[in-house]
Amino acid sequence: MRRGRAICRLVTQNPAPTADPTPAPQAGGSSPALPAWDLSDLYAAPDDPGLAADLARAEAEARAFQAAHAGRLAGLSGDALAAAIATYERIEEILGQAMSYAQLIFSGDAQSAENGRFYQTVQERVTAISSHLLFLTLELNRLEDAVLEAKLRQSAALARWRPWLRDLRVFRPHQLSDELEKLLHEKEVTGRSAWNRLFDETIAGMRVEVAGEELTVSAALNNLSAGDRSLRAAAARGISAAFGERVRLFSLITNTLAKDKEIIDGWRRYPRPTSARNRANMVEDEVVDALVSAVWSALPRLSHRYYALKARWLGLEKLQHWDRNAPLPEDSDVSIPWAEAVARVRAAYGAFSPELEGVAAPFFQKPWIDAALRPGKASGAFAHPTVPSAHPYLLLNYHGKARDVMTLAHELGHGVHQVLAAQQGYLMSSTPLTLAETASVFGEMLTFRAVLDAEADPRKRRTLLAGKVEDMLNTVVRQVAFYRFETLLHEERRQGELSQERIGEIWMQVQTESLGPAFDFSPDYSVYWAYIPHFVHTPFYVYAYAFGDCLVNALYGVFREGHPRFQEKYLDMLRAGGTKRHQELLAPFGLDASDPAFWNKGLDVIAGFIDELERDVQASQGTAAPALPQTGTG
């Protein structure tokens, strides 16, 4: 079910900063108001009579639908079954709109007790209503393949739903009895969802002391990319202290959710902790294994090599964890006004495809983006598709940094993808996570190349290139490291509850392996796993970012080579929504993600950027500069 699902911006280094009530000054010293969204296209307010009416109507229709069809799907003709699915979709979309609104309200201020109560109330109501709809997917999966195929051949109306039925039946071997499925569905609000809410409200309410100032978690994390090393170190100490004080709670949340997942995975007969996520992403375990293996094998020529270069660039013998996202010495760190950020992103989209920019334009002409900084606002950034009958909303937290411009380009990519895919309808517009990151990362790449190509100053170009390399390492290496951390944690959790110290040991092991010998990790870094929301909300989500980045690197290479009708094919790929798998979507571009060599094409792009930086730095330091290590073939 896609109800209330936001496509989240990756947590690479720090979540995009939020919740500092004073916006960072824009260029020229002014602080113009940043855009905030207006959710009235969904509902006017939490007490809007329209929301109550929609939920009442959905409940009545769901009960009637269950009374008319439960236990009878097998006997329906193809046309009648198609009509039943269409009715199901219509009711689900009503519930999806209500749930989306509640989630967006909560994201706007998670510190508000009233918002938390409203979110929980709507979630409980939607869960109760949707329990009357649950039978449809369960009964469809009980149909034998031959029976369903006969219905599909007999009815053009039903054939329209073939992609949705195909994806639904991926879970057929893992489906439980109707009673158990209903129990799990209804207990979600007091199970995983409740732990998610506890995590969110805990993070939102935390304050971190940095250099004598009380900051939100997001604002403190933002200081890890400050130019002043003493400020970075102070922020790191404050974050470690704040999470160290609460690490027992975060360990309890993590252990409980991992055990909960183990129990459900056991009942559903999933072979390993990652399998359920891979099925949801419509990607084979072997394809994910190939991606992870390729990235891990490439560490010496990617992250290890780059951070050795960065240490030299910063004049440090060893990097500390708070140096990982430090700006480079040549980085002027000029604040970029919001209007300039918008102009850069729109120009890059328009240069690629005027049609794509036309789809993006309403996000800036209407109140569909919330970029303002305020207490309680959700950390990070996301694009929420809401429902096809409305439009997506984007959340980000804009501090005027170059990375914030790329975050805007990223989330806008999600937004235009969701708009284009909306024509597929509520059930088939949503894409697997692996494909959901394609348009977002591609939008980032378009914006980066446009900015880089327009820059004539060699030093500024070098800084831009280094920033892009760091973003790509954060997107690929760091996310795969997160995935390995989750994998080790979930596998070990099957032997019993993990202590907070053991979780920290696993974290430090994976971080040391992924970032390489240029770092000297201090013990206080062992609690940094606790702020990553993906571990709590969507286990094993993170590899989708690496999947998307490598896929886009290969896709962008095809574009740069002048592939015929690329823009047309690309927009068609976005319009397909969830109706096609990655093999079908990539075939028009001559790409195949099941080929192990495919991933190395994407990794080679990152390595090539590092090669260019290395040559540039060595040239600037003189020919006597020692070469950086280049071991590993990937």
Side-chain angles (χ1 to χ4, degrees), residues 303-311 319 324 473-474 515 518-519:
S303 53
H304 294 188
R305 186 158 62 110
Y306 174 76
Y307 289 118
L309 173 61
K310 184 168 187 175
L319 297 173
R324 185 170 55 82
L473 291 177
N474 281 330
L515 295 176
F519 283 88

Side-chain angles (χ1 to χ4, degrees), residues 15 49 51 72 74 87 183 194 250 356 374 435 535 541 570 579 594:
L51 173 58
R72 301 181 178 90
T87 300
L183 175 65
F250 290 117
L356 189 67
R374 57 179 180 270
L435 297 174
F535 298 159
Y541 180 114
Y570 178 75
T579 62
S594 65

Side-chain angles (χ1 to χ4, degrees), residues 73-74 76-78 81 139-155 158 162 165 169 172:
L73 295 186
L76 295 180
S77 67
L81 184 56
E139 287 190 31
L140 284 173
N141 269 350
R142 284 202 298 270
L143 294 178
E144 294 298 328
D145 290 340
V147 172
L148 181 58
E149 187 58 38
K151 293 179 186 292
L152 285 163
R153 287 197 303 268
Q154 293 165 5
S155 170
L158 184 61
R162 185 182 286 275
L165 292 166
R169 289 172 75 80
R172 191 180 180 206

Side-chain angles (χ1 to χ4, degrees), residues 53-101:
D54 278 355
L55 290 173
R57 176 164 59 94
E59 181 172 9
E61 291 186 5
R63 288 179 179 276
F65 182 74
Q66 182 180 34
H69 295 294
R72 301 181 178 90
L73 295 186
L76 295 180
S77 67
D79 286 349
L81 184 56
I85 296 173
T87 300
Y88 169 83
E89 180 183 51
R90 187 183 72 250
I91 301 171
E92 279 285 353
E93 184 160 355
I94 298 171
L95 299 178
Q97 179 166 325
M99 198 65 244
S100 294
Y101 180 70

Side-chain angles (χ1 to χ4, degrees), residues 292-355:
V292 173
S293 177
V295 172
W296 221 245
S297 297
L299 292 178
R301 69 187 181 109
L302 299 180
S303 53
H304 294 188
R305 186 158 62 110
Y306 174 76
Y307 289 118
L309 173 61
K310 184 168 187 175
R312 282 177 47 205
W313 208 337
L314 293 175
L316 299 171
E317 185 175 341
K318 287 280 188 178
L319 297 173
Q320 297 297 324
H321 70 84
W322 57 82
D323 295 318
R324 185 170 55 82
N325 290 301
L328 299 174
E330 297 175 340
D331 190 346
S332 61
D333 199 28
V334 174
S335 185
I336 303 167
W338 172 255
E340 183 178 334
V342 171
R344 289 183 185 184
V345 174
R346 291 187 65 173
Y349 274 57
F352 171 73
S353 166
E355 183 179 356

